[in-house]
Amino acid sequence: MKRGQGPTIRRRRLASELRRLREAAGLTIDEVGEKLECSASKISRIETGHVGVTPRDARDMLELYGLTGDEREALVQLAREARKPGWWHAYKEVFTGTFVGLEADASSLRAFQALLVPGLLQTETYARAVIRAMRPDADESDIQRRVAARTARQALLADPNPPEYWAVIDEAVLHRVVGGPEVMARQANRLLELARLPHVTIQVVPFGAGAHPGMEGPFLILGFPEPADPDVVYVDATSGGFFLELAPDVRRYSLMFDHLRAAALKPDDSVSVIAAAAARFSG
């Protein structure tokens, strides 16, 4: 599947188009809800992409907005395609919201992490240690399920048409011992392997850089191949994280990432620092 063709991005695209058509028709969300005999909150959730829309609901909304013929049928078909389950549906108890679906459709991913290795770059043993530490009340089966889900996500970087992935990590990530020295040695070597891939870039912000924009917290900027699908920022949080889609917010985080790249060591020098960490934990 080409980047930007998955069900999540289709749902996001349809939601945006339904909102545009409603506004062009001069209707409010409350008016649409009243005319279609449903709640205004349902229309709002559809337009924000928080819930899917059935082909029947899409047809009713489009008819109300005055769209007919092939244009209407194309959007109804988009509603059908947006309802198809992605691979992550098998892990629906782990993946909530739309994050993994958007990640799977992205053509570029720009990540910053200050405390741990980004999820797409983690080894299985490192991931298990992180999940166990963050969920002390979880039983072993739940931890294993989450590790399996994270490993499945990582297939993205081995895809025949992978996204451009650029990760900036704080030097602290290479010193915080997660799972023990052996786990850290394997993790550092895994970073070295991934850094050799043509579509993966890893940079390290050294302690000597002092204060930097990333101290606000981890985040990920997702870019998409179609102009109709604007970039979105995912801000990580213990409660599950949240998305920022307004252009000023996306610009602010893009600028933060540019400053982080400038403060970080060059990619080749970063690889040297990671190699030194691998040697330190192996010794």
Side-chain angles (χ1 to χ4, degrees), residues 41 147 189 196 273:
S41 63
V147 171
N189 282 312
R196 287 195 287 267
V273 170

Side-chain angles (χ1 to χ4, degrees), residues 125-198:
T125 51
Y126 184 97
R128 181 176 288 106
V130 167
I131 293 169
R132 182 176 286 115
M134 295 179 70
R135 295 179 174 271
D137 58 338
D139 58 33
E140 189 57 35
S141 63
D142 182 41
I143 291 174
Q144 185 54 39
R145 187 67 172 159
R146 292 180 180 278
V147 171
R150 186 162 300 183
T151 301
R153 273 179 61 207
Q154 294 173 351
L156 181 64
L157 295 183
D159 190 88
N161 180 35
E164 291 293 324
Y165 185 81
W166 197 309
V168 178
I169 61 174
D170 194 282
E171 188 178 353
V173 173
L174 301 176
H175 290 270
R176 184 178 302 280
V177 182
V178 174
E182 184 177 349
V183 170
M184 290 299 295
R186 290 179 181 175
Q187 179 61 72
N189 282 312
R190 176 63 174 158
L191 292 177
L192 294 175
E193 292 172 9
L194 291 168
R196 287 195 287 267
L197 296 177

